[in-house]
Amino acid sequence: MAFTLKGAIVAIVTPFLESGEIDWDSFDKLIDWHIDSKTDGIVVCGTTGETPTLTDEEDEAVIARAVEKIKGRIPVIAGSGSNCTQTAIRKTQKAKNLGADAALVVVPYYNKPTETGIYNHFSTVAQSVDIPIILYNVPSRTGTSILPETVIRLAKDFDNIVATKEASGDLSYFTQIIASAPKTFLVYSGDDFLASSANLLGAHGCISVVANIIPAEFQQLMKVSLQGDAIATRKSFYKYKKLMELCFVESNPIPVKTALAEMGFIKEFYRQPLCKITPENRQLLLNEMKNLKLIEK
């Protein structure tokens, strides 16, 4: 199954109103900004979009809104994972029906399946829904990791398992997958900090948090690193290194939504149990944003 997306893919936030409802006007404006900034793709209903607190109806509404707003200009990837295989199938089928170009399916969380269980989970989803599937390995949140050999096996066994989002923090995982998976299989970083290094080693881009704040700049970083321009990559990476780190000074998406609110794109509201950033960390973030001229001093 052909899927060729490379570059800067934003894991977009879900803006809320004070009432707790989704702020659709702000969501639309964010999408327009990303299109104008040459972002290569958009992931909706991911962790950065606070999907654990969205209802099924809200999940579907966010996917449908993004598809309608983007109108095929760039790919829309819908988070559709679950720690229940049948739920993951249902959500992935719904994403396809709503017009998503691909589904991002996370390693089952909390119940900690074995590698055999992980393989069976993804193979069952892949056989049940005919849509490009991106595996998502994020052991810091799921409590377990999909090993490179399992990723490679799935990539070889199923044509519609087309990519992986690798967020283990281990560059060796990238190199093992890139070396042995089919040449058409795409490897995305799920870690902004490692993305440019992974690209220089043969990865294909990043599903990014910091791209919410600096979409054009992050797209350029992905471009030069994908081209193998190590000098330009280093220059851009070190310019935004501290901002990338501060995006995780508290649980994602607290810092990135704080930054977007300070930039005037959204209102600073979260779904509980997330809450506003501490004053100390807010100041650290604001200082760096001022240094980068993202906000006025």
Side-chain angles (χ1 to χ4, degrees), residues 76-125:
V76 175
I77 301 165
S80 63
S82 172
N83 60 344
C84 169
T85 303
Q86 291 304 312
T87 301
I89 291 169
R90 175 179 55 80
K91 293 178 70 173
T92 303
Q93 184 64 57
K94 179 60 72 171
K96 178 185 176 181
N97 295 346
L98 291 168
D101 297 286
L104 179 66
V105 184
V106 71
V107 170
Y109 42 86
Y110 192 77
N111 40 12
K112 299 184 74 172
T114 64
E115 285 300 303
T116 298
I118 292 171
Y119 177 89
N120 291 343
H121 173 82
F122 284 114
S123 63
T124 303
V125 176

Side-chain angles (χ1 to χ4, degrees), residues 17-93:
L17 300 168
E18 187 172 8
S19 65
E21 299 299 307
I22 295 173
D23 182 353
W24 294 114
D25 288 344
S26 294
F27 185 69
D28 289 349
K29 289 174 184 175
L30 287 174
I31 288 176
D32 285 337
W33 186 39
H34 281 288
I35 296 290
D36 291 343
S37 301
K38 309 301 182 186
T39 294
D40 296 295
I42 290 182
V43 170
V44 295
C45 300
T47 306
T48 309
E50 294 176 76
T51 195
T53 63
L54 298 181
T55 66
D56 285 351
E57 293 76 17
E58 287 173 326
D59 258 346
E60 293 169 15
V62 169
I63 297 168
R65 185 78 165 219
V67 169
E68 171 59 26
K69 180 70 177 173
I70 291 170
K71 297 186 185 302
R73 290 175 288 175
I74 58 175
V76 175
I77 301 165
S80 63
S82 172
N83 60 344
C84 169
T85 303
Q86 291 304 312
T87 301
I89 291 169
R90 175 179 55 80
K91 293 178 70 173
T92 303
Q93 184 64 57

Side-chain angles (χ1 to χ4, degrees), residues 24 160 230 285:
W24 294 114
N160 62 328
L285 180 60

Side-chain angles (χ1 to χ4, degrees), residues 240-259:
Y240 297 108
K241 171 181 175 291
K242 188 172 182 179
L243 182 65
M244 293 179 195
E245 293 169 339
L246 288 169
C247 280
F248 296 92
V249 70
E250 292 186 20
S251 297
N252 178 48
I254 292 171
V256 72
K257 289 188 85 172
T258 302

